[in-house]
Amino acid sequence: MCANALTETDPVDLSLLPASAKVVDGRISVGGCDLLEVAEEFGTPLFVYDAAELRNHFTEAVEHFGPGVAYATKAFLTPGLAKLASETGISFDVSTGGEYECVRRAGVDASRLVMHGNNKQPDELRRAVVEGVQWIVVDNFDELDRLETLAAELGQGVDLLVRINPGIEVHTHEFISTGNRDSKFGFPTWTDDAARAIERIRDHELLRFKGIHLHIGSFVLQIENFIEALDTVAPMVRQYSPEVLIVGGGLGVRYLNEDECPSFADWAQAILAWGRETLPGVTLLAEPGRSMVAQAGLTLYTLGSLQTKGDRTFAAVDGGMSDNPRPMLYDSGYEAFSVNDPQAARPVAAQVVGRHCESGDIVVPRAFLPESLKVGDVVCTPVTGAYGYTMASNYNMVARPAVVFVEDGTATLMTRRETYDDLFAREVGF
């Protein structure tokens, strides 16, 4: 387990940042790049990723699970990220045509793509079949109908996984719980639907049943929840003898000083040990997302105002819900610290808020900041590498931030900041 004895008002724990993070003479750097200088060069808000940390996490996933393990691209995806990840040998879980196109534009062969989603569009399925993806994860009978029609029309075989819903509850936010009985995803195991789907595929001359897939939720912090789900589906796996069993992803990460969570290595080893003991001969794979990219990324903001209203202090930054909607959607918490004074104690309780016209525009619901913080300083929220950039919007017509990779003392612009011209590039009716 990862934990520490720091209190919430202590200086931010540098172990929340990428492993390369260092403070020397009051200046903090990541990937050998001074964060104040990076903010000055590229502006804020700004997503900063440690490229070496990303590479190490993808490599670790491949080392544990072997070929076929797939990165869940919904956590964070750009062509630059896809290119970096592809060099480690990892596959890619894509659930839309846009994610598919992004990875392909990075030069990744379709055979390393896992086509996911609960309502894949006809053109997305067609492309996946024609180009020969690693496999398609079938979610429902309507999709199975479409795949049967496609395979017959094209005269082409298709490798399929059947996504099943084990119907178990996990301790996470209801919006990101995907394996319970109220979830829209997968064939239920508490009816005969999952079995009927598998048998229908096995009886088809062009559809090839390769495996069983499950995903119980996101930001799951207990390894026992994953083992419970695997125990639930083990009888079906024995009955149908698939080549692979996919446990999905969903492993949580540590966001706050006081958080506890399993390491990726502990999680992977527990799953693989269960497989060796319970289902020898079946290959276990995973689709990690958040655990690959969250800690590798951080967001830099510039403080625009600092107001105290009674017993409430508001620190307003130049981003907000448009670059990180997780606090609004899931009541997610983060740490915040001053890049200008990174080792300072943080006795000032505050709410870090954004610039949008919404009371729910909150970046850090319960932050602690140093007394030295002043307008114009750069504020950092660490562990924002997952589900920030990919969920970003243009609400209030705010341009989306740039993305920078840092490594070996060099900061490289990977995705430029949006401009007003970008915002209106699609408008044709005026």
Side-chain angles (χ1 to χ4, degrees):
M1 304 291 284
C2 48
N4 62 80
L6 290 175
T7 67
E8 55 196 7
T9 61
D10 282 323
V12 71
D13 185 356
L14 289 183
S15 68
L16 287 170
L17 278 71
S20 64
K22 296 179 181 178
V23 178
V24 178
D25 297 329
R27 306 281 292 201
I28 184 167
S29 65
V30 171
C33 296
D34 184 291
L35 290 184
L36 281 177
E37 293 178 358
V38 171
E40 182 177 359
E41 180 177 358
F42 298 101
T44 60
L46 183 68
F47 288 103
V48 180
Y49 285 85
D50 184 319
E53 183 114 341
L54 290 168
R55 194 176 296 107
N56 290 342
H57 289 172
F58 293 127
T59 298
E60 182 181 19
V62 174
E63 288 175 348
H64 279 292
F65 287 100
V69 63
Y71 166 56
T73 61
K74 61 183 179 290
F76 170 57
L77 182 63
T78 66
L81 183 281
K83 185 176 186 301
L84 179 151
S86 71
E87 293 167 357
T88 70
I90 203 164
S91 292
F92 296 84
D93 159 9
V94 297
S95 57
T96 67
E99 291 178 347
Y100 190 115
E101 178 68 14
C102 181
V103 178
R104 294 289 278 130
R105 287 194 180 201
V108 179
D109 192 84
S111 63
R112 291 171 60 187
L113 272 58
V114 175
M115 192 69 208
H116 241 303
N118 72 298
N119 189 16
K120 307 173 190 69
Q121 298 303 293
D123 60 322
E124 296 169 346
L125 285 174
R126 176 176 289 274
R127 184 178 186 184
V129 172
V130 168
E131 295 189 356
V133 296
Q134 182 169 305
W135 40 59
I136 297 173
V137 182
V138 182
D139 188 86
N140 53 71
F141 286 114
D142 294 315
E143 189 169 272
L144 189 49
D145 290 341
R146 288 190 282 272
L147 284 165
E148 287 179 337
T149 301
L150 261 177
E153 177 187 336
L154 298 169
Q156 188 168 333
V158 188
D159 291 340
L160 301 179
L161 305 181
V162 172
R163 180 168 183 170
I164 64 174
N165 183 334
I168 69 168
E169 298 288 341
V170 296
H171 298 292
T172 190
H173 194 284
E174 62 178 317
F175 292 172
I176 49 178
S177 181
T178 58
N180 59 43
R181 293 195 176 205
D182 293 326
S183 172
K184 68 179 181 178
F185 296 104
F187 295 93
T189 55
W190 58 93
T191 71
D192 65 350
D193 282 2
R196 286 197 298 120
I198 293 171
E199 290 167 1
R200 184 168 153 186
I201 293 169
R202 292 176 70 179
D203 290 342
H204 196 280
E205 61 181 355
L206 291 174
L207 303 184
R208 296 185 289 261
F209 172 64
K210 289 292 183 177
I212 290 174
H213 181 287
L214 69 149
H215 181 75
I216 59 175
S218 188
F219 195 52
V220 180
L221 296 174
Q222 302 295 326
I223 292 176
E224 292 77 12
N225 289 153
F226 294 96
I227 301 302
E228 178 188 353
L230 290 168
D231 285 337
T232 301
V233 304
M236 178 171 285
V237 175
R238 294 190 187 97
Q239 180 179 357
Y240 290 104
S241 302
E243 293 179 24
V244 297
L245 171 61
I246 314 293
V247 71
L251 176 66
V253 298
R254 181 169 160 247
Y255 284 101
L256 305 174
N257 274 2
E258 64 268 24
D259 279 352
E260 297 184 0
C261 69
S263 69
F264 181 85
D266 288 344
W267 177 74
Q269 289 165 8
I271 289 168
L272 293 170
W274 178 93
R276 288 191 296 270
E277 180 177 342
T278 310
L279 297 172
V282 177
T283 298
L284 265 72
L285 292 174
E287 292 167 350
R290 185 193 312 266
S291 58
M292 298 289 95
V293 296
Q295 188 174 354
L298 54 89
T299 311
L300 301 180
Y301 300 103
T302 299
L303 184 69
S305 72
L306 193 59
Q307 298 185 70
T308 299
K309 302 178 181 181
D311 61 351
R312 303 291 299 275
T313 297
F314 297 92
V317 297
D318 55 351
M321 61 190 284
S322 61
D323 58 72
N324 188 355
R326 291 189 67 250
M328 179 186 67
L329 292 173
Y330 313 127
D331 300 319
S332 304
Y334 292 93
E335 297 287 348
F337 68 94
S338 170
V339 179
N340 299 75
D341 199 0
Q343 289 187 308
R346 300 174 299 157
V348 180
Q351 193 171 76
V352 179
V353 298
R355 57 173 304 193
H356 298 282
C357 298
E358 296 282 345
S359 295
D361 178 26
I362 299 169
V363 179
V364 183
R366 190 167 180 266
F368 291 87
L369 299 169
E371 292 178 332
S372 60
L373 186 69
K374 63 184 183 302
V375 169
D377 283 357
V378 176
V379 175
C380 176
T381 53
V383 202
T384 52
Y387 302 107
Y389 177 80
T390 52
M391 297 179 79
S393 74
N394 293 124
Y395 182 52
N396 283 150
M397 288 199 171
V398 170
R400 285 175 293 185
V403 177
V404 168
F405 283 8
V406 293
E407 185 173 22
D408 296 332
T410 299
T412 303
L413 182 65
M414 303 300 293
T415 305
R416 65 168 173 79
R417 189 177 308 280
E418 279 187 323
T419 66
Y420 290 147
D421 286 340
D422 294 325
L423 293 180
F424 298 102
R426 296 178 297 117
E427 301 298 334
V428 297
F430 71 102

